[in-house]
Amino acid sequence: MSASKPTRATRATDATDTRPARLVLADHQPQIERLQRRLFLRSSLSIGALAMLSGCNMQDNDSVDKVLWAMSRWNDRVQAWLFDRNKLAPTYSAREITDPFPFNAFYPEFDAPDIDGSTYRLEVSGLVADKRTWNLDQLRALPQASQITRHICIEGWSAIGQWRGVPFRTFLERIGADLNARYVGFKCADRYYSSLDMATALHPQTQLTLDFGNAPLPAKYGYPLKLRVPTKLGFKNPKHIAAIFVTNTNPGGYWEDQGYNWFSGL
Ligand SMILES: Nc1nc2c(c(=O)[nH]1)N[C@H]1C(S)=C(S)[C@@H](COP(=O)(O)O)O[C@H]1N2
Ligand SMILES: [Mo]
């Protein structure tokens, strides 16, 4: 961090801020909470630890934020490096399925998008050979697989569900995606968006899901198409997918861009 380039504002605070660290820490509480969410630390970070890690003036909100984002990106790289592309998420038996399954979105259930399956087209773009759109019959004609896995939401609940659909690797191969690209991005019908590292996109349990239980996805659970990623937290499982793109530029995500750790692997 460039503690060597203080702004005029920080120099002014330096000279006058003789408050105890506890009060300075209180000023930065929202940023520290965001950092804790990114790093999933249970213990509190002290002002001293943060200052030491960053070598950064703790009175400058701008540079504090830059340090926190830099630490989160570093954390993404470590998690990506630790990710075992062959390790499977636990699977469960049919009698362990959670009923009723919880709904979650950034809006209430009655606002879930109402999509007409007969006119629905999935868009494909970016680093792929075949950019044709897909309708639901074409997606159902691809090989399908079923899984009973646990969905874990960062808000503090988890539930076991059954999903069926196209192994995402099969889909990426079918569209001639550049499998050496770094990211796959998702745009949803409700303005939600998210993205995955390519290793997770190619993981054997990552699924382009059409069915929940033994029926098409209900509106609240992502009709007509969602991504099921049992190796990631729930917010990295986009529902109501409208477009998929392959890219080398990190597309971020709805919660990711508000401070939730981007990798969020389990
Ligand atoms: N399109 C869309 N996808 C989304 C969300 C959303 O608000 N919109 N919320 C995410 C979050 S935080 C969770 S926990 C899961 C909830 O999925 P469920 O309703 O099937 O339990 O969807 C994820 N995918
Ligand atoms: Mo969530």
Side-chain angles (χ1 to χ4, degrees):
M1 234 4 251
S2 54
S4 50
K5 289 187 283 177
T7 62
R8 194 186 309 165
T10 64
R11 256 187 263 122
T13 349
D14 277 349
T16 53
D17 202 340
T18 53
R19 296 171 302 159
R22 170 174 55 82
L23 293 181
V24 179
L25 186 61
D27 277 356
H28 293 292
Q29 203 55 40
Q31 285 153 313
I32 289 160
E33 277 166 14
R34 269 184 283 142
L35 171 72
Q36 286 174 327
R37 284 206 298 274
R38 284 171 205 163
L39 300 181
F40 300 108
L41 298 179
R42 290 225 166 67
S43 60
S44 292
L45 276 172
S46 70
I47 189 87
L50 272 178
M52 209 176 71
L53 281 165
S54 62
C56 164
N57 183 313
M58 292 306 289
Q59 278 77 47
D60 180 348
N61 279 302
D62 241 32
S63 46
V64 169
D65 208 58
K66 277 185 205 124
V67 169
L68 299 186
W69 278 108
M71 289 173 73
S72 184
R73 283 191 297 270
W74 174 81
N75 185 38
D76 285 339
R77 286 205 301 278
V78 173
Q79 290 185 77
W81 179 68
L82 291 173
F83 180 69
D84 181 344
R85 48 196 75 214
N86 297 311
K87 191 176 170 228
L88 297 180
T91 57
Y92 299 87
S93 67
R95 62 183 163 71
E96 293 173 286
I97 291 171
T98 308
D99 187 19
F101 194 88
F103 161 85
N104 197 55
F106 64 91
Y107 45 76
E109 193 176 316
F110 58 79
D111 278 341
D114 179 21
I115 295 168
D116 179 353
S118 67
T119 55
Y120 171 82
R121 297 291 181 274
L122 171 68
E123 287 171 22
V124 170
S125 66
L127 305 172
V128 303
D130 185 349
K131 294 182 177 153
R132 272 179 295 189
T133 61
W134 291 73
N135 66 33
L136 293 176
D137 288 342
Q138 291 166 326
L139 290 171
R140 286 190 181 278
L142 293 176
Q144 311 280 311
S146 187
Q147 63 173 270
I148 301 177
T149 50
R150 186 185 293 276
H151 172 114
I152 302 173
C153 175
I154 202 165
E155 287 175 12
W157 56 270
S158 82
I160 295 170
Q162 178 167 21
W163 292 272
R164 187 180 145 81
V166 186
F168 196 45
R169 174 191 274 274
T170 303
F171 182 76
L172 289 173
E173 286 169 353
R174 207 55 79 97
I175 62 175
D178 175 358
L179 303 184
N180 293 315
R182 295 177 66 184
Y183 308 103
V184 183
F186 303 87
K187 292 180 195 159
C188 306
D190 56 3
R191 298 178 182 279
Y192 196 80
Y193 62 106
S194 190
S195 54
L196 289 180
D197 51 292
M198 184 60 80
T200 299
L202 296 174
H203 185 275
Q205 289 170 307
T206 301
Q207 181 192 85
L208 195 54
T209 303
L210 291 148
D211 292 332
F212 180 73
N214 290 311
L217 286 163
K220 60 179 173 178
Y221 299 140
Y223 186 80
L225 192 67
K226 69 167 270 174
L227 199 76
R228 177 65 193 129
V229 193
T231 56
K232 293 243 189 252
L233 285 174
F235 75 86
K236 295 198 75 82
N237 288 237
K239 304 190 283 187
H240 314 289
I241 298 172
I244 295 176
F245 58 102
V246 176
T247 173
N248 283 315
T249 309
N250 190 329
Y254 182 90
W255 291 115
E256 292 90 330
D257 293 349
Q258 296 179 58
Y260 286 105
N261 174 255
W262 181 80
F263 194 87
S264 284
L266 296 172

